[in-house]
Amino acid sequence: YQARHNDRSKLVQIGAAVVAVAGVPVLRDVMEEFIMDGSLYKIESKHEARMFAANLFRATKKCMEESAGKVEELAQAGFIIATPRHIFNVQTDLSCFDCDTYCAKGAGVEPCMGAIEVLYHSKMAPDEILKQALTATCKINPYCSEPIEIVDVAKGIRCRHD
């Protein structure tokens, strides 16, 4: 799941995986170019997630250097890779954490994770928990805004919540 940025999805599908980008907007642009280049085919394991991250961050840094961008901003970037079996939280230092049940990243990470934790053990459906948590996050954090996009990675279903 992910809140959208300037009405542009922050989600990119790579095979059966979905990558949610946070931090530097150019990261998503480089990732799209990177994927179209055919450099990546699958992300199913922690090792493959790290390899993807290393290549993507290297390409993004090069792009930022060439465009006189502030490369130090890349330290704030990162992403979540969700596959039908895993959720990987990837940092710019290439640390990669396998999250057991849920994960959030970006400007609204604290209120979002708090809301998910509170609602997780309720009888609500997973997509409803996400809608509630993200809606609350968008109301609390000025850097987060609706519409909200939700993807069921296991089923390949994408829906938008305005």
Side-chain angles (χ1 to χ4, degrees):
Y1 62 89
Q2 185 76 20
R4 296 169 70 90
H5 177 70
N6 295 332
D7 203 41
R8 184 169 178 228
S9 178
K10 293 169 111 180
L11 303 174
V12 176
Q13 183 145 7
I14 303 170
V18 174
V19 180
V21 178
V24 183
V26 72
L27 185 64
R28 187 189 191 291
D29 298 333
V30 171
M31 184 168 34
E32 284 180 340
E33 204 171 295
F34 186 69
I35 293 165
M36 285 192 287
D37 182 32
S39 302
L40 179 70
Y41 300 103
K42 67 177 183 168
I43 303 173
E44 295 175 359
S45 68
K46 188 182 279 193
H47 173 73
E48 290 168 338
R50 274 198 187 120
M51 294 303 295
F52 170 74
N55 291 329
L56 179 60
F57 285 134
R58 190 177 309 114
T60 303
K61 182 178 178 185
K62 181 180 176 189
C63 176
M64 291 176 84
E65 288 170 343
E66 290 172 357
S67 66
K70 295 180 181 177
V71 178
E72 61 274 5
E73 289 178 0
L74 192 55
Q76 300 170 8
F79 44 87
I80 296 171
I81 301 172
T83 73
R85 296 183 140 167
H86 300 281
I87 304 171
F88 300 113
N89 183 347
V90 184
Q91 312 296 322
T92 52
D93 65 0
L94 301 184
S95 56
C96 181
F97 304 97
D98 199 344
C99 304
D100 291 333
T101 51
Y102 54 84
C103 183
K105 191 166 213 58
V109 67
E110 291 89 0
C112 188
M113 289 292 283
I116 291 172
E117 178 61 30
V118 167
L119 298 172
Y120 186 75
H121 300 288
S122 72
K123 295 182 190 269
M124 294 171 69
D127 62 331
E128 189 58 32
I129 291 172
L130 293 176
K131 285 179 195 174
Q132 294 291 327
L134 288 169
T135 300
T137 300
C138 290
K139 288 180 180 179
I140 293 168
N141 190 306
Y143 299 105
C144 299
S145 62
E146 296 186 75
I148 295 165
E149 188 173 16
I150 297 174
V151 176
D152 184 332
V153 178
K155 297 178 184 173
I157 299 169
R158 178 174 281 181
C159 69
R160 185 172 167 173
H161 169 68
D162 293 311

